Amino acid sequence: MLLTQLNRECLLHLFSFLDKNSRKSLSKTCHKLLQVFQDPLLWSLLNFHSPAELTKDNFLLGPALKHLSICWYAERVKVCNIEDWMKNDFQRDFCNRHANTVSDFLLEVCNRCPNLLSLTLSGCGHITDECILVLLKNCPKLKTLKLENCVRITDQTLEAVICYGRSLQTLHVDFCRNVTQTGLERVRKKCPLVILRAERSANMIPDSKPGKKLMLKKVSGEPVQL
């Protein structure tokens, strides 16, 4: 039996074992396999390992997308995590090349994927609170939100979770240095059913421009100026 003689259900099952590039290559062989590639049911799960992958044409965004992961663990992530006022010209140029890549992609997700159930972002140093706010508004079924090493995420994202994360069951904000203990306590108080994890977040020192005094609290609760 030829591959193209299989029914649609079998072909979808076979395609599900292939990575995005292999699916795209196979879809170029005939019209029937192209239709399988374009079937939204094939794209309920998407995993990306760098911002560059988001600009390729080897996947499909649609209402069937349920689980999305964008995890960037390369050494270059460290450049994005440097405070803007500390970056040299080379580092700024590097960041400018992909500064809006993930944000623009997530806006497309907001418009096309209202049934999204889980989102994981790791090493996405340019993602902002505003982007997460729009996502929570447009994806009301979101149950799991995991943010790791997203340095621009602040307590504003936590407030957005309180206001719009009605279906949220799990929230991780690990290594997000601009999230505070006060913001975390508000989530615990307002959303007691949400499983909240914030590994090494509230204990990290938030970004502070040179010359700006940073207020920290001692164990006794008394504020101290640095």
Side-chain angles (χ1 to χ4, degrees):
M1 177 180 289
L2 297 176
L3 179 64
T4 52
Q5 291 178 306
L6 295 173
N7 61 33
R8 185 64 162 263
E9 184 178 355
C10 289
L11 288 173
L12 282 170
H13 184 66
L14 290 174
F15 264 72
S16 69
F17 291 98
L18 304 177
D19 59 32
K20 294 188 291 294
N21 286 332
S22 298
R23 292 178 184 180
K24 181 65 176 181
S25 297
L26 193 56
S27 73
K28 295 179 179 180
T29 59
C30 73
H31 183 69
K32 184 174 182 178
L33 296 182
L34 175 61
Q35 289 181 328
V36 176
F37 175 84
Q38 294 174 338
D39 192 323
L41 294 178
L42 183 63
W43 304 100
S44 62
L45 169 67
L46 281 173
N47 295 317
F48 299 94
H49 304 290
S50 77
E53 293 184 15
L54 303 177
T55 61
K56 296 182 178 180
D57 63 347
N58 58 359
F59 62 91
L60 184 71
L61 282 181
L65 181 63
K66 300 293 181 63
H67 308 282
L68 172 62
S69 172
I70 306 173
C71 297
W72 196 23
Y73 298 117
E75 284 293 316
R76 289 170 291 178
V77 172
K78 296 179 180 179
V79 177
C80 300
N81 290 343
I82 299 173
E83 293 88 341
D84 288 339
W85 59 89
M86 293 182 63
K87 291 177 183 175
N88 57 39
D89 291 340
F90 173 79
Q91 292 167 332
R92 289 193 186 94
D93 180 64
F94 170 77
C95 287
N96 288 338
R97 296 175 190 174
H98 62 267
N100 299 316
T101 303
V102 180
S103 297
D104 291 345
F105 180 80
L106 288 180
L107 290 178
E108 288 295 318
V109 171
C110 292
N111 294 328
R112 302 185 188 182
C113 313
N115 299 311
L116 189 68
L117 297 179
S118 71
L119 173 65
T120 299
L121 300 176
S122 180
C124 300
H126 298 287
I127 285 296
T128 64
D129 298 312
E130 290 76 12
C131 186
I132 300 300
L133 170 62
V134 174
L135 184 95
L136 288 169
K137 286 182 176 180
N138 287 273
C139 301
K141 298 180 181 180
L142 193 69
K143 294 183 177 181
T144 300
L145 177 60
K146 296 182 179 180
L147 306 173
E148 177 187 281
N149 203 14
C150 298
V151 296
R152 294 179 184 266
I153 295 301
T154 71
D155 285 1
Q156 292 183 36
T157 286
L158 301 182
E159 287 298 321
V161 166
I162 293 172
C163 295
Y164 302 104
R166 298 179 182 88
S167 300
L168 209 62
Q169 299 174 357
T170 300
L171 173 63
H172 292 180
V173 283
D174 299 332
F175 296 90
C176 297
R177 64 172 178 253
N178 288 300
V179 168
T180 70
Q181 191 63 47
T182 299
L184 295 173
E185 289 302 324
R186 275 187 55 78
V187 174
R188 292 189 178 99
K189 180 179 179 180
K190 298 290 185 178
C191 308
L193 298 180
V194 173
I195 300 174
L196 176 61
R197 192 180 79 182
E199 183 180 349
R200 299 286 302 276
S201 288
N203 294 327
M204 301 175 77
I205 298 177
D207 293 347
S208 180
K209 291 184 179 181
K212 183 178 179 181
K213 294 181 179 179
L214 180 64
M215 299 297 292
L216 297 179
K217 287 188 176 181
K218 287 183 176 180
V219 177
S220 62
E222 296 178 1
V224 177
Q225 280 192 347
L226 296 181

